[in-house]
Amino acid sequence: MTILLVFLVAAVASFIGSLQAGLVNSAVLATSLSKGEHAGRMTAWGGALPELLYAGLAVLLVERSMDKLPWLTTHAPFIAGFLLVGLGAYFLIRPPLSMSTPEPAASSASFGRGVMWGLMNPQLLLFWLGVAASLRTNLPEAVGSGVMAAFSLGAFAGALALLLLLVRFARTLQHRLNAARMRRLFRLIGLALVIAGLWTGMKAVRPIAAGI
């Protein structure tokens, strides 16, 4: 029963956490519109895979070595903010074009891009550390390899569900928006990513400035 509860908590947290504009969901949406539904699905699978790694590592760190994360806690927001601003600026300057007949894309390439975008978000580990610490506080018996596996699989399942919904959403958009509106949409997404990246960096600066 504990294993199932851990899985459900991680899945729900992952789904809700993935709703915000970010590297992976923006990449999945862009790939689905420019290269087709199959490429979008492969990117979604690849993008959700790092959740397994980060969620499992978070459980391990909460159980054993939470005090060994000063560098990550300080620098991860800067790295994540820089990547968000970079992807947002790219969408503002060169918004992906929706194709009426999407070109075929190699499954391995789309999957690999998804994995890359997922791994390039170190804030995922900080997010899962928070969820794992909260779970440990409210469910102290949730320990062991079975809990780690359930937590990791839940994180993966929740993120994948949201990303696959984005693929279907992209297919709907292809039928409803013309090229000009699609460019405007991606410029809005780009602006949202830039703002999110700047805000992430600013939040990291505040505690450092307060300690000076």
Side-chain angles (χ1 to χ4, degrees), residues 56-70 72-73 125 129 136:
L57 185 57
V59 173
L60 186 65
L61 290 170
V62 165
E63 290 184 0
R64 298 184 183 179
S65 53
M66 272 291 289
D67 58 331
K68 297 180 180 179
L69 291 174
L72 180 67
T73 303
L125 180 55
L129 280 171
R136 181 70 181 274

Side-chain angles (χ1 to χ4, degrees), residues 51-120:
E51 301 278 354
L52 283 167
L53 171 66
Y54 284 125
L57 185 57
V59 173
L60 186 65
L61 290 170
V62 165
E63 290 184 0
R64 298 184 183 179
S65 53
M66 272 291 289
D67 58 331
K68 297 180 180 179
L69 291 174
W71 187 94
L72 180 67
T73 303
T74 303
H75 294 85
F78 288 109
I79 298 171
F82 176 78
L83 292 171
L84 286 169
V85 169
L87 182 60
Y90 179 81
F91 282 170
L92 283 169
I93 297 168
R94 293 188 60 186
L97 296 177
S98 176
M99 303 177 64
S100 55
T101 54
E103 60 181 20
S107 296
S108 58
S110 300
F111 181 82
R113 279 193 295 269
V115 173
M116 178 190 71
W117 283 115
L119 290 173
M120 286 174 65

Side-chain angles (χ1 to χ4, degrees), residues 193-208:
L193 289 172
V194 169
I195 292 172
L198 292 174
W199 178 250
T200 299
M202 287 172 60
K203 285 195 299 182
V205 169
R206 287 174 186 169
I208 295 174

Side-chain angles (χ1 to χ4, degrees), residues 103-179:
E103 60 181 20
S107 296
S108 58
S110 300
F111 181 82
R113 279 193 295 269
V115 173
M116 178 190 71
W117 283 115
L119 290 173
M120 286 174 65
N121 186 8
Q123 282 216 129
L124 270 180
L125 180 55
L126 296 182
F127 171 79
W128 286 116
L129 280 171
V131 177
S134 176
L135 184 67
R136 181 70 181 274
T137 300
N138 293 285
L139 200 66
E141 68 272 20
V143 294
S145 56
V147 167
M148 181 187 295
F151 191 79
S152 300
L153 288 171
F156 170 76
L160 181 62
L162 188 279
L163 294 175
L164 291 177
L165 283 175
L166 274 179
V167 175
R168 298 197 65 176
F169 176 64
R171 185 175 63 181
T172 302
L173 284 179
Q174 278 185 321
H175 296 298
R176 295 187 178 183
L177 299 180
N178 57 31

Side-chain angles (χ1 to χ4, degrees), residues 179-202:
R181 289 179 178 176
M182 195 69 70
R183 283 192 294 269
R184 284 197 293 271
L185 170 66
F186 270 101
R187 288 194 172 109
L188 285 173
I189 294 174
L191 181 61
L193 289 172
V194 169
I195 292 172
L198 292 174
W199 178 250
T200 299
M202 287 172 60

